Amino acid sequence: MDRPLNETRSVCCYCGTGCGVIIQSAGDRIVGVRGDPDHPANFGKLCAKGNTLHLAAVRTGRATVPILRESRAVLPAPTSWDYALDVAAERFAAIIREHGPDAVAFYVSGQLLTEDYYVFNKLARALVGTNNIDSNSRLCMSSAVAAYKATLGSDAVPCCYEDIELADLLLIAGSNTAYAHPIVFRRIEAAKEKRPDLKIVVVDPRRTDTAAAADLHLALAPGADALLYSAMLHVLLWEGLTDPAFIAQHTEGFNALRSQLAELTPGAVAAACGVRAEDIVAAARMFGQAKAPLSFWCQGLNQSIHGTANGAALIHLHLATGKIGRPGMGPFSLTGQPNAMGGRETGTMANLLPGHRNLADPADRAELARLWNVPALPEKPGKTAIELFDALTNGDIKAIWIACTNPAQSLPDLAKVKTALTHAKFVVVQDAWGDTETAAFADLLLPAATWGEKDGTVTNSERRISRVRAAVPPPGAARADWRIARDFALRLDEKLGAGRTAQFAFDSPAEVYAEYVRTTVGRDLDIHELSHAVLDARGPTQWPTGAARLYTDHRFAFPDGKARFIPIDTQLTAETPDARHPFRLLTGRLRDQWHGMSRTGRIPRLYSHEPEPRIEIHPADLQRRGWIDGQLMRVKSRRGEIVLPIAASEEVRPGQAFVAMHWGRRSLSHDGVNALTIPVCDPVSKQPELKHAALRIEPAVLPWRMRVLRSPGLSAEAHEKVIEWRARLAPLLEGFDYAALTLDGRERPLVALRVAAAEPLAIERIEQIADALEMPEGVCLTYRDPAKRVIKRARIDDERLTGILLAGEDLAGNWLRAAMKEGVPIDALRRWLFAPRAEPPVASAAPRRVICNCLDVSEADIQREIAAGADLPALQERLKCGTSCGACVQEIKQLLGKR
Ligand code: SF4
């Protein structure tokens, strides 16, 4: 008998939009998800990632038991929690005793809950006595924090999502909102549809789906952001579109900035910005003449060597025009992770303290020491993310605790990061997944609970605090993150004899939260009246309690109540192209993947929009250099080299190259794009310039090809099975010249391996791969051509093709993949299985690129209807494409525009 379905309200664990979800579970299994119609961030809508959250609730890859490597000379082995935490406490205590508290560090994550953050923060500062605690949020929004603090006096987003419906101009800067914050973008689309007069200006080097929706797209040169917004301010001044009374009454520093602006005319900066002077003037006029301009920004501004100046230059536009603090207007930084805001609020970064306190402020340290009942807090600044890994390499830091993040995939200059992790004396990795790139470096791997298994709170981009609730228990021995941190703290306290047991006497996340909110009393984010119970009763709540907007009285958070204009750094990027590295690398996101793919990478259908890694360059560059679409290329920067297929894209300009940030070692035989990126940081925010680098691209001569596809066909366990096969294959790819390991399909999911090499692979390695996929010769049809060194093998189950291996010649790989996904009967394929044939023998085996992932509608289906005269409503009526999450609507509009 089917178990009854339980429903639990929680929050999506991907982006900072913070959509409410309702998790459906049966017994201890998560079986479905739907949008929460009552959550004010999304009103029931979810994007493709949110809609498939439940599909990542798989067993394979989960860390379910502590794994300890007693020494680097022995293999890791399962152990008990008691022993694991004792060893961790002993190792940390020994290092602290011998080398002092700053010889250890904690590197945490914007995916932790507020309660998790708080316990880790207290553990580092109040027990260990170090400020070496930083978050992976350093990589995505620390420049926004620094810009808000430098200009408005506090790290507080002054706007809310409702402002989208009230604005008359949206300036979207360095943000592909359509991909990174899809539900925010749905609100933007809805607002534009309802009020066609709403103007949208997008500033982005690439013509993204977001840019395609703009009334004006400024495809600025990489790194020219601060220059562009300063030139816009120059125009506002010149044309009398500023608000001198507001500037005089509510701001400081304008005169100093004004002299810097004098030189920054549109004509003077147009070339450096890569846009026409008249477009800069047009954008400035649109901003200046708007009654309610709302600016969104994200990583395009933040991930820069002058990310703080970029954010500040954008905020200056609002301050100079007085367009801030009222409905529909203001500078709105979007957060990339679900609880990056919680990390800011709990001060879980090297330079911050809970309750928006500053580490550098003695009064803030003293007040927190009193609240925590410790004599004093450490004063020495902690190391930020990049500094922290440098300190592991040079030995200043000897032990690191990494929680819920994957620095061996996400930090820039990965060769350096891996050296750091190898140099460390003791590496603890606390994660839900045991197969991340970073887990491979763990001396101790601690299994953590994840989405659907955790209880606590998160804060989204608009300062809205939501309850996160557990629908099922974590698998095996996995535990909640706050509890792991607490249990470690209690043991470490014992080893150090610090007498701080009482400071960690939390029995539930609700108790942790109750203590955390007491640290906010009297602060700008005072939420002392909130608790888990109050949030349960009230639902998602903005801070300060119930305030939709900040600075409505135009009193800013500096002691004198005045906002600040600051000088602007107008340098472009850390690296500029030259003869050896002539391409400019741009990094960004795919529509249906999230971050390092540790979760979305386990969901086959999320690969259908972008099936494999690739590097995109402009068609003119491809043609000029005589390169062919799909050709494998060596992509080199001054730090590393990777191999990727090349693809033509009109989203980038000539001279630019785009690589998505998501692909890593679980998808490739080598590192992803962060093998190439540069670890140079903004001097204020310490955020690295992950967006840009200089590249050389040249053909990779890897003539030998192999394609392997394996699907369990239709079965309830099919999804779990392909993940298991993929996990078996991943370790076999080490040392390949090029290999891409991906998933695909829906009802009939499959695992796909593509290999290219300079020389044919040894037979033993081919057999290893076949064995891992349960395709030994005995159960498969086999074809061999020893003269051409070709081996082909097909597995057939229940009259369907369920496995194919094409080694030495793989022309038929694409249509065989389509045939397996579609479940084409074997009779239609049998005689063609081993033919060197690129064209499908039957129409049902033709490869199809899926555009609407929710409803599984392909580009070919859409093109057919467009050719028959369909417009968008007709397409939505006939094919249903774009009627679920809506993420594909922009792409459909672009197809319609080309007819
Ligand atoms: Fe999740 Fe998508 Fe909402 Fe972001 S926009 S929170 S990824 S459902």
Side-chain angles (χ1 to χ4, degrees), residues 117-412:
Y117 274 131
Y118 185 77
V119 181
F120 266 114
N121 204 4
K122 196 173 182 186
L123 157 64
R125 304 192 206 254
L127 174 59
V128 175
T130 183
N131 291 311
N132 286 341
I133 177 161
D134 211 40
S135 165
N136 65 2
S137 302
R138 180 72 58 189
L139 311 182
C140 45
M141 54 77 217
S142 56
S143 294
V145 174
Y148 275 134
K149 288 173 82 166
T151 54
L152 307 183
S154 173
D155 173 26
V157 177
C159 326
C160 61
Y161 295 149
E162 192 195 31
D163 287 326
I164 296 168
E165 282 93 50
L166 303 171
D168 60 353
L169 174 84
L170 297 177
L171 173 56
I172 304 177
S175 161
N176 185 5
T177 322
Y179 281 16
H181 299 88
I183 296 303
V184 171
F185 196 70
R186 297 290 85 75
R187 272 178 101 146
I188 291 172
E189 284 175 329
K192 177 81 176 169
E193 198 171 317
K194 199 165 162 202
R195 295 181 291 122
D197 286 349
L198 169 67
K199 292 283 177 274
I200 301 177
V201 177
V202 173
V203 182
D204 196 307
R206 288 192 300 139
R207 187 164 176 80
T208 60
D209 271 14
T210 308
D215 296 289
L216 175 62
H217 171 211
L218 298 179
L220 94 164
D225 312 79
L227 209 51
L228 174 74
Y229 304 121
S230 298
M232 282 173 65
L233 184 48
H234 177 104
V235 176
L236 293 176
L237 269 169
W238 185 255
E239 301 203 353
L241 292 168
T242 57
D243 183 341
F246 183 94
I247 294 170
Q249 229 179 317
H250 300 294
T251 71
E252 288 285 345
F254 189 66
N255 285 339
L257 179 67
R258 192 185 185 121
S259 32
Q260 190 185 3
L261 294 176
E263 306 289 314
L264 303 178
T265 65
V269 304
C273 288
V275 295
R276 299 183 314 167
E278 49 265 48
D279 285 343
I280 300 175
V281 173
R285 283 182 186 152
M286 286 165 85
F287 191 99
Q289 288 162 2
K291 288 191 174 60
L294 182 65
S295 307
F296 286 109
W297 89 91
C298 202
Q299 320 302 26
L301 265 63
N302 293 338
Q303 291 178 333
S304 156
I305 47 163
H306 47 78
T308 307
N310 289 346
L314 189 64
I315 295 169
H316 286 167
L317 296 177
H318 290 274
L319 291 176
T321 54
K323 288 167 181 171
I324 185 167
R326 292 199 301 276
M329 62 180 72
F332 195 151
S333 142
L334 292 164
T335 46
Q337 296 191 84
N339 198 28
M341 287 289 264
R344 290 149 76 164
E345 292 154 17
T346 58
T348 316
M349 295 183 83
N351 52 327
L352 304 177
L353 292 173
H356 279 181
R357 288 178 179 82
N358 290 315
L359 175 71
D361 185 333
D364 281 357
R365 289 199 308 275
E367 190 181 18
L368 194 64
R370 185 177 54 74
L371 286 168
W372 280 350
N373 196 22
V374 294
L377 291 177
E379 183 183 342
K380 187 177 164 194
K383 299 214 182 295
T384 58
I386 301 294
E387 297 165 344
L388 196 153
F389 281 81
D390 286 347
L392 278 176
T393 305
N394 69 26
D396 287 350
I397 293 176
K398 298 176 192 317
I400 185 164
W401 192 295
I402 298 167
C404 200
T405 181
N406 188 13
Q409 203 265 1
S410 56
L411 283 174

Side-chain angles (χ1 to χ4, degrees), residues 488-512:
F488 172 68
L490 292 172
R491 278 175 167 79
L492 185 65
D493 179 64
E494 202 182 306
K495 306 274 182 205
L496 293 173
R500 304 266 154 89
T501 312
Q503 277 88 338
F504 293 92
F506 306 114
D507 277 331
S508 67
E511 283 185 22
V512 177

